[in-house]
Amino acid sequence: MLSVVGQAARMLLVVICTAFSVVPAAAEKRIALVVDVDRYVNLPSHQQLRKAVNDAQSISAALRGVGFQVIPVKKNASRDDFILAWQRYLNQIEKGDVAALFFAGHGVEINGQNYLLPSDIPVVRAGEEEILKSRSMNFDGLLHELQKRGARLNLIILDACRDNPFATATGRSLGASRGLASVQPASGTFVMYSAGLGQSALDRLSDDDQNPNSIYTRELLPLLQKPGLTLLQVATRVRRRVRETALKVNHKQVPAYYDEVIRDFYLAGRQASPGSGSGSGDAKTASPGGSAGSNAKLACQRAILDDTIEGYEAYLRQFPGSACHTRIQSLFEAKVEKIQWDKARAAHSIAGYRSYLIAFSDGIYAGEARNQLQSLTKTATVRPKETPELRVTDPDIS
């Protein structure tokens, strides 16, 4: 009788564990908004896009496949279309939900703020920034509104880091010529950019490119739907794949991401297929020596909570080849880079930014480092020429 009860208990445990590995979890509501703009009615033909609508359709299908309800939005959304869908989206998000936003189209950075351009954006020029701000969607504002809803996870994917459609050859551009500015997301937010700071995201490899999706989206799609991958692993893998694909046409595109998610999150579920070798972090897979596996998992959690260089190094030495090794290695590398970047920003010197770029030429902050380096170099070159002019205007000189 005891063995029967024990067997029944084991069967119940299996059922419970299986239920928790199903995607999505029954108690978890997933809501997504997917917006695309290929056709800009006021922009010339060379500023039109070809893949944004396809990207949105593909991403929508992928998100539905992992349990998201996707809010409908008109193709080539105008500002009013965007606002209407955005409000419907916000109204459905409740505390504890998982929320996702995907935008494919043009984006512009002005004074550190990012603006997503709807299809009816007017042609604006330098000195007309307020017109653009009032007729586009302020991404930082959208992010703030989203975070107030209390979702346990906000996933933002922007395939919008293309060349500024209002840039001019004379340098009298409205906003940065390419790329989007970094953001400081709140806890529970994961932001993915299709290109790094100051970089342009390719809509296609060439005019003959037959793939229906942009470079970033085509590499992202299979990763979004692969079980056993955390968001961080998705971001790092798509970053590597996009970089390799873009280099085929001698273009530099290194996607950036900003991770403020404390716990591992698996879009397509925690269980990878047997023998996949996906390095799925804390995925529920059997390992020889259950005690050692449990110790490694606890040590992994402790290292992540401590978030120190020493803690990550100690874990990597003590548990080589563990299930959490890839996660800790990524966090360790990101931590080292962040420390070096903070030093460079604090020094705000040519030597400091050069030191960072030597160590992290393809780093998350490499684009901003190059911009700062260029600005400081230009200032150092101009300063001697300004000195005589200042002396001439000195009232004490007769």
Side-chain angles (χ1 to χ4, degrees):
M1 181 66 179
L2 182 61
S3 61
V4 173
V5 173
Q7 186 177 15
R10 285 195 295 271
M11 291 179 64
L12 179 60
L13 181 60
V14 169
V15 171
I16 292 173
C17 292
T18 303
F20 276 105
S21 67
V22 173
V23 179
E28 178 182 88
K29 187 175 68 176
R30 297 183 171 193
I31 306 291
L33 181 66
V34 178
V35 182
D36 61 73
V37 184
D38 266 337
R39 187 174 65 253
Y40 287 86
V41 295
N42 297 313
L43 297 184
S45 59
H46 69 278
Q47 295 291 358
Q48 306 299 325
L49 303 175
R50 298 185 185 180
K51 313 280 190 178
V53 171
N54 289 339
D55 289 346
Q57 292 174 341
S58 299
I59 291 292
S60 292
L63 291 177
R64 288 191 184 98
V66 292
F68 279 86
Q69 174 192 347
V70 180
I71 303 299
V73 188
K74 288 184 179 180
K75 295 179 182 179
N76 295 299
S78 66
R79 186 173 185 275
D80 286 346
D81 294 333
F82 199 142
I83 291 175
L84 179 61
W86 178 253
Q87 189 60 65
R88 290 173 177 169
Y89 172 60
L90 289 181
N91 290 345
Q92 295 197 41
I93 299 173
E94 299 175 339
K95 189 173 182 179
D97 288 348
V98 173
L101 169 65
F102 175 85
F103 178 84
H106 277 303
V108 174
E109 180 262 311
I110 301 176
N111 297 327
Q113 296 280 303
N114 299 317
Y115 297 88
L116 309 181
L117 306 188
S119 64
D120 55 350
I121 190 75
V123 175
V124 289
R125 298 172 179 83
E128 299 177 342
E129 286 82 359
E130 295 306 316
I131 296 176
L132 182 141
K133 292 178 182 180
S134 66
R135 299 292 296 274
S136 62
M137 307 300 294
N138 183 321
F139 170 67
D140 302 73
L142 297 178
L143 185 58
H144 180 66
E145 289 182 22
L146 186 58
Q147 290 165 344
K148 289 193 300 183
R149 297 288 161 157
R152 75 179 184 91
L153 173 73
N154 294 311
L155 170 62
I156 318 294
I157 305 174
L158 297 182
D159 195 353
C161 309
R162 297 175 172 86
D163 288 338
N164 180 352
F166 308 117
T168 64
T170 61
R172 290 284 296 161
S173 302
L174 186 152
S177 62
R178 59 177 56 183
L180 297 177
S182 61
V183 295
Q184 297 299 323
S187 177
T189 302
F190 199 101
V191 183
M192 300 171 65
Y193 289 113
S194 57
L197 291 168
Q199 296 177 354
S200 174
L202 293 175
D203 190 49
R204 53 193 180 274
L205 287 176
S206 69
D207 290 339
D208 298 326
D209 189 349
Q210 298 300 310
N211 193 298
N213 297 120
S214 70
I215 306 305
Y216 181 73
T217 298
R218 73 180 64 171
E219 300 294 350
L220 176 63
L221 282 168
L223 297 173
L224 288 179
Q225 303 169 85
K226 186 173 183 179
L229 293 183
T230 66
L231 278 180
L232 180 61
Q233 289 172 325
V234 170
T236 55
R237 293 187 186 195
V238 75
R239 183 183 190 185
R240 182 179 68 251
R241 293 182 183 184
V242 169
R243 179 179 182 274
E244 293 171 352
T245 300
L247 284 175
K248 294 177 182 177
V249 292
N250 297 318
H251 180 79
K252 185 173 183 178
Q253 179 179 342
V254 185
Y257 63 89
Y258 299 90
D259 179 7
E260 290 298 332
V261 179
I262 297 175
R263 297 179 180 274
D264 286 345
F265 183 83
Y266 300 81
L267 272 175
R270 296 170 64 90
Q271 284 190 330
S273 57
S276 65
S278 64
S280 57
D282 292 336
K284 300 289 187 181
T285 55
S287 60
S291 177
S294 299
N295 290 340
K297 182 176 180 179
L298 289 173
C300 174
Q301 294 170 342
R302 189 179 302 112
I304 292 172
L305 289 173
D306 291 344
D307 191 30
T308 64
I309 293 291
E310 296 76 14
Y312 292 141
E313 286 181 327
Y315 180 90
L316 293 172
R317 286 194 305 268
Q318 188 175 357
F319 301 101
S322 67
C324 196
H325 189 276
T326 301
R327 166 77 166 165
I328 295 297
Q329 183 68 39
S330 298
L331 291 172
F332 171 72
E333 293 172 359
K335 188 76 173 178
V336 171
E337 180 180 357
K338 184 64 166 57
I339 290 173
Q340 185 65 29
W341 172 242
D342 288 343
K343 289 181 179 179
R345 290 186 64 183
H348 193 59
S349 64
I350 292 175
Y353 289 120
R354 280 178 176 169
S355 295
Y356 168 83
L357 287 170
I358 289 172
F360 304 98
S361 61
D362 292 330
I364 296 174
Y365 313 99
E368 186 174 348
R370 292 188 179 92
N371 290 340
Q372 294 290 351
L373 185 59
Q374 183 179 11
S375 177
L376 288 173
T377 303
K378 186 183 298 184
T379 301
T381 304
V382 170
R383 188 176 297 138
K385 297 180 181 180
E386 293 178 343
T387 304
E389 296 177 5
L390 292 174
R391 290 175 179 171
V392 170
T393 58
D394 191 327
D396 294 332
I397 297 179
S398 58

